[in-house]
Amino acid sequence: MEITAEHLRKTFGSTVAVHDVSFEIARGEVVGFLGPNGAGKSTTLRMLTGVFPPSSGRAVIAGRDVAREPLAARRALGYLPERAASYGEMPVEKYLRFIADMKGIPARDVTAAVREAMGATALEHVSHRLIGNLSKGYRQRVGIAQALIGSPPVLILDEPTSGLDPEQVTDIRGLVQGLGSERTVILSTHVLPEVEAICSRVIIMNRGRILAVDSPSSLEEHLRPHREIAVEVAGARDDVLRVLHAIDGVSGVAADAALPGAPTITYVVRCVHHRDVRREVAAAVAAAGFGLVELKPVVMTLEEIFLALTSRDRLGDEKAVTPPSPQVERVVASH
Amino acid sequence: MRAISAIARRELAAYFGSPTAYVLIGVFLVLSGYFFYSDVALFVTFGAQVLSTGLWRFVFVDYRLVTLLVLPLVTMRLFAEERKLGTIELLWTLPVKDHQLILGKFLAAWIFFAVIVLLAMIPFAVFWVFFPFDLGPPIAGFTGLVLLGTAFIACGIAASTLTENQVVAAMLTYGVLVFFWFMTWNEAVGDESVIRYLLLLSLFDHYYNFASGSIQTVDVAYFLVFAAFFLFIALRSLQSRSWRGVV
Ligand SMILES: Nc1ncnc2c1ncn2[C@@H]1O[C@H](COP(=O)(O)OP(=O)(O)OP(=O)(O)O)[C@@H](O)[C@H]1O
Ligand SMILES: [Mg+2]
């Protein structure tokens, strides 16, 4: 395992920022850390990167215990802090050289390492500009370039796309996606589509606890009690409803409210268990002589997944039930 | 070593890349030049005979004040600015130990101070061209000044690790240094024996020997211990992030 967190817990005075967080991430994975403000994402990432030690528990990066072999662990690591801060009065290239020196890159390799990092983040044309004069997106890139120096096998990026315009968000996402395959990446975000777009797994946190660890798609399967299919059909509403109901494996049908006289209506067909009845639906609609306009599965967005999980969490709190520890796969499976 | 020198070079570039460095150096030179001039004028007016006690002692005692004024303004940004910017968090994840961070910054401030001291030697050189004098006492004086500055810098760095506010860091440094200066002033407070121990701790009582041209091992040791103590405080303060978090 490239990254291991074992029962990480962090308290500041009487506040418990992170309760009990455990997970493992294999080499080459891109994992998204997702959660609302104050969920404990940054605190967890800081324990992994060794910014501060956990109050209890253990973090291991690339086989190195962060507490016992801090320097070896840090050498395997590139980190973009939440604020992506750097020294405004320094030119980009000088700053990256400084970082390379601090990372102990051999003097003769510094130029190449800096050039490679600037190449990966498309910073070459601003290499002599002062960081303080760059736009936020470019400063963010400088932060990522800095993390890339020395090609560390593990990258931990805390909200790499926060505060950027949509175009730069796409750029940075593309950049992170391009990093994958040979690198292990953790990134945190509030933006759900981001994880859907680039992460193979997602770790959902709330109030210092992990709610779920899974791939975006199988999370949905666990959370959604039934599979649903949206069918758009041209035909008399009541007739269509009757036909759809009659299909074997369909447990319920709901029609969208459509404008009177609209040529087509969209129906949401709920299937028994997880049976896929798309083919049967298509055949039945066609056999009845209606016009089939569109047929597609209803995909739960991460927003919905997240809402489902967090509302469950809140419920658990109200009932003063200690949530099953520590693993989430179990939380998901038990429902 | 590499990391220490990387930090020191970055800090020096930051100092000399901003106008504050030149303002600080300018203030130091103007004030110290003025003191040098007025001390020489006094020496001549009152017809004192012995240079080391009649002139150099006064010059170095005055230089001390200028150093006290300027150095906290040099050291205040070293860690406070990193905290304010948030760059300190990144430094903590680089493969560099806390003591290397401190030593790098210490070295930068120390070199900055060394530049100031070299410039402050200019009036002595000019004076020497016209009236060659015994170099021993001024050498002792400058040794004392450098040691005093070393102690001030260590104290300033410790204060700078405690806060993200540079002004607070400077004020704290002034407070501590002035305390170590004034603690033997109120002789009415303690009896003889207490004062004797306080004298051992007092910053400037150890400086006066240097100013009068004599280098004592005890005084050298005092300043080195003083500096080491505050660098240790700085180290502990950086490590307090384990319960304090990233502020
Ligand atoms: N130094 C600190 N002292 C006290 N409490 C802290 C400290 N740092 C973090 N916390 C608390 O810990 C909790 C988790 O904070 P954290 O920054 O990890 O959240 P996050 O998930 O990163 O949120 P965001 O999405 O807003 O960045 C918050 O309630 C925060 O107030
Ligand atoms: Mg955060």
Side-chain angles (χ1 to χ4, degrees), chain A residues 84-309:
Chain A
S86 41
Y87 308 101
E89 84 284 354
M90 285 182 103
V92 173
E93 187 174 348
K94 262 224 171 100
Y95 172 65
L96 295 177
R97 286 181 162 275
F98 165 69
I99 296 290
D101 284 339
M102 294 289 278
K103 287 190 177 182
I105 311 286
R108 61 179 179 286
D109 301 335
V110 165
T111 305
V114 167
R115 194 168 307 146
E116 192 190 328
M118 289 199 299
T121 47
L123 281 171
E124 294 103 332
H125 63 289
V126 295
S127 65
H128 296 293
R129 300 259 309 265
L130 297 185
I131 296 173
N133 295 343
L134 296 176
S135 71
K136 175 128 171 46
Y138 269 84
R139 268 180 283 154
Q140 200 85 5
R141 283 174 195 225
V142 172
I144 296 177
Q146 160 279 123
L148 291 175
I149 294 251
S151 311
V154 174
L155 287 173
I156 296 188
L157 313 174
D158 199 350
E159 298 190 21
T161 58
S162 77
L164 303 185
D165 70 35
E167 197 177 330
Q168 295 197 315
V169 168
T170 320
D171 280 1
I172 300 261
R173 272 186 209 163
L175 204 160
V176 173
Q177 250 169 331
L179 296 175
S181 71
E182 81 265 36
R183 295 231 173 80
T184 312
V185 183
I186 298 187
L187 60 93
S188 83
T189 176
H190 309 117
V191 191
L192 304 169
E194 191 150 289
V195 233
E196 279 177 323
I198 56 184
C199 298
S200 55
R201 270 204 302 163
V202 42
I203 295 179
I204 298 185
M205 282 193 80
N206 192 34
R207 299 158 162 227
R209 288 195 173 84
I210 291 184
L211 295 184
V213 185
D214 218 329
S215 67
S217 57
S218 72
L219 249 188
E220 187 198 342
E221 262 175 42
H222 286 303
L223 280 176
R224 187 186 274 287
H226 325 273
R227 181 192 287 265
E228 288 176 343
I229 295 165
V231 238
E232 192 177 344
V233 180
R237 183 189 153 104
D238 291 341
D239 296 341
V240 176
L241 277 175
R242 197 168 346 96
V243 168
L244 290 175
H245 264 300
I247 299 168
D248 180 36
V250 170
S251 64
V253 182
D256 257 10
L259 296 173
T264 64
I265 301 176
T266 301
Y267 304 83
V268 176
V269 176
R270 179 174 291 179
C271 312
V272 176
H273 305 302
H274 280 267
R275 271 179 64 183
D276 185 354
V277 293
R278 273 178 290 178
R279 223 165 298 140
E280 290 83 341
V281 169
V285 169
F290 305 128
L292 177 60
V293 179
E294 195 184 13
L295 177 65
K296 60 176 186 197
V298 177
V299 182
M300 199 177 184
T301 64
L302 264 171
E303 267 94 353
E304 291 169 304
I305 294 178
F306 190 73
L307 278 179
L309 284 167

Side-chain angles (χ1 to χ4, degrees), chain B:
Chain B
M1 250 351 266
R2 183 103 177 283
I4 294 177
S5 96
I7 294 170
R9 276 182 286 127
R10 201 200 74 73
E11 294 297 341
L12 285 171
Y15 276 137
F16 289 104
S18 85
T20 38
Y22 301 100
V23 172
L24 286 177
I25 291 178
V27 165
F28 189 97
L29 291 185
V30 168
L31 287 180
S32 65
Y34 170 74
F35 280 132
F36 189 90
Y37 167 79
S38 60
D39 288 336
V40 168
L42 262 174
F43 181 72
V44 173
T45 314
F46 289 97
Q49 298 298 313
V50 187
L51 265 178
S52 63
T53 52
L55 176 56
W56 303 145
R57 182 181 159 85
F58 290 100
V59 171
F60 283 109
V61 166
D62 289 339
Y63 274 20
R64 164 202 69 178
L65 288 182
V66 192
T67 306
L68 177 64
L69 178 73
V70 166
L71 275 186
L73 301 176
V74 173
T75 52
M76 65 181 186
R77 53 169 287 278
L78 286 173
F79 279 98
E81 190 179 41
E82 304 263 10
R83 276 195 192 279
K84 183 102 189 171
L85 289 174
T87 43
I88 190 107
E89 188 178 352
L90 183 61
L91 292 183
W92 282 333
T93 62
L94 293 171
V96 174
K97 293 192 165 148
D98 287 354
H99 74 255
Q100 292 176 303
L101 296 178
I102 292 172
L103 289 180
K105 290 181 181 271
F106 176 81
L107 191 61
W110 200 86
I111 291 173
F112 186 88
F113 179 59
V115 169
I116 292 181
V117 169
L118 283 176
L119 292 171
M121 286 178 179
I122 292 172
F124 283 80
V126 172
F127 193 83
W128 191 81
V129 169
F130 295 105
F131 308 97
F133 52 81
D134 177 14
L135 288 177
I139 287 176
F142 275 111
T143 307
L145 189 67
V146 167
L147 284 168
L148 186 76
T150 305
F152 286 5
I153 290 169
C155 178
I157 285 179
S160 184
T161 58
L162 293 170
T163 169
E164 59 166 39
N165 186 324
Q166 298 190 25
V167 176
V168 170
M171 288 306 186
L172 204 56
T173 317
Y174 286 129
V176 171
L177 294 179
V178 168
F179 172 78
F180 272 91
W181 174 13
F182 279 17
M183 65 190 204
T184 52
W185 273 29
N186 195 349
E187 294 178 16
V189 171
D191 59 9
E192 196 76 12
S193 60
V194 176
I195 292 288
R196 201 159 26 161
Y197 287 112
L198 282 184
L199 273 177
L200 283 178
L201 285 178
S202 160
L203 254 182
F204 293 124
D205 286 294
H206 287 276
Y207 179 69
Y208 295 137
N209 287 334
F210 291 104
S212 325
S214 99
I215 302 181
Q216 306 284 334
T217 321
V218 184
D219 300 328
V220 175
Y222 170 81
F223 285 115
L224 295 182
V225 169
F226 188 98
F229 173 74
F230 278 102
L231 291 181
F232 177 72
I233 300 265
L235 186 64
R236 294 316 299 258
S237 157
L238 285 190
Q239 288 165 349
S240 74
R241 65 182 182 273
S242 63
W243 50 267
R244 185 173 152 184
V246 180
V247 183

Side-chain angles (χ1 to χ4, degrees), chain A residues 41-125:
Chain A
K41 304 180 296 290
S42 298
T43 305
T44 305
L45 298 186
R46 284 172 176 151
M47 288 188 275
L48 290 178
T49 52
V51 169
F52 44 56
S55 305
S56 65
R58 201 167 80 104
V60 181
I61 300 283
R64 311 290 184 154
D65 188 309
V66 175
R68 290 217 200 102
E69 307 171 78
L71 297 196
R74 292 180 200 180
R75 263 184 220 109
L77 189 79
Y79 177 46
L80 172 73
E82 190 166 25
R83 285 163 68 187
S86 41
Y87 308 101
E89 84 284 354
M90 285 182 103
V92 173
E93 187 174 348
K94 262 224 171 100
Y95 172 65
L96 295 177
R97 286 181 162 275
F98 165 69
I99 296 290
D101 284 339
M102 294 289 278
K103 287 190 177 182
I105 311 286
R108 61 179 179 286
D109 301 335
V110 165
T111 305
V114 167
R115 194 168 307 146
E116 192 190 328
M118 289 199 299
T121 47
L123 281 171
E124 294 103 332
H125 63 289

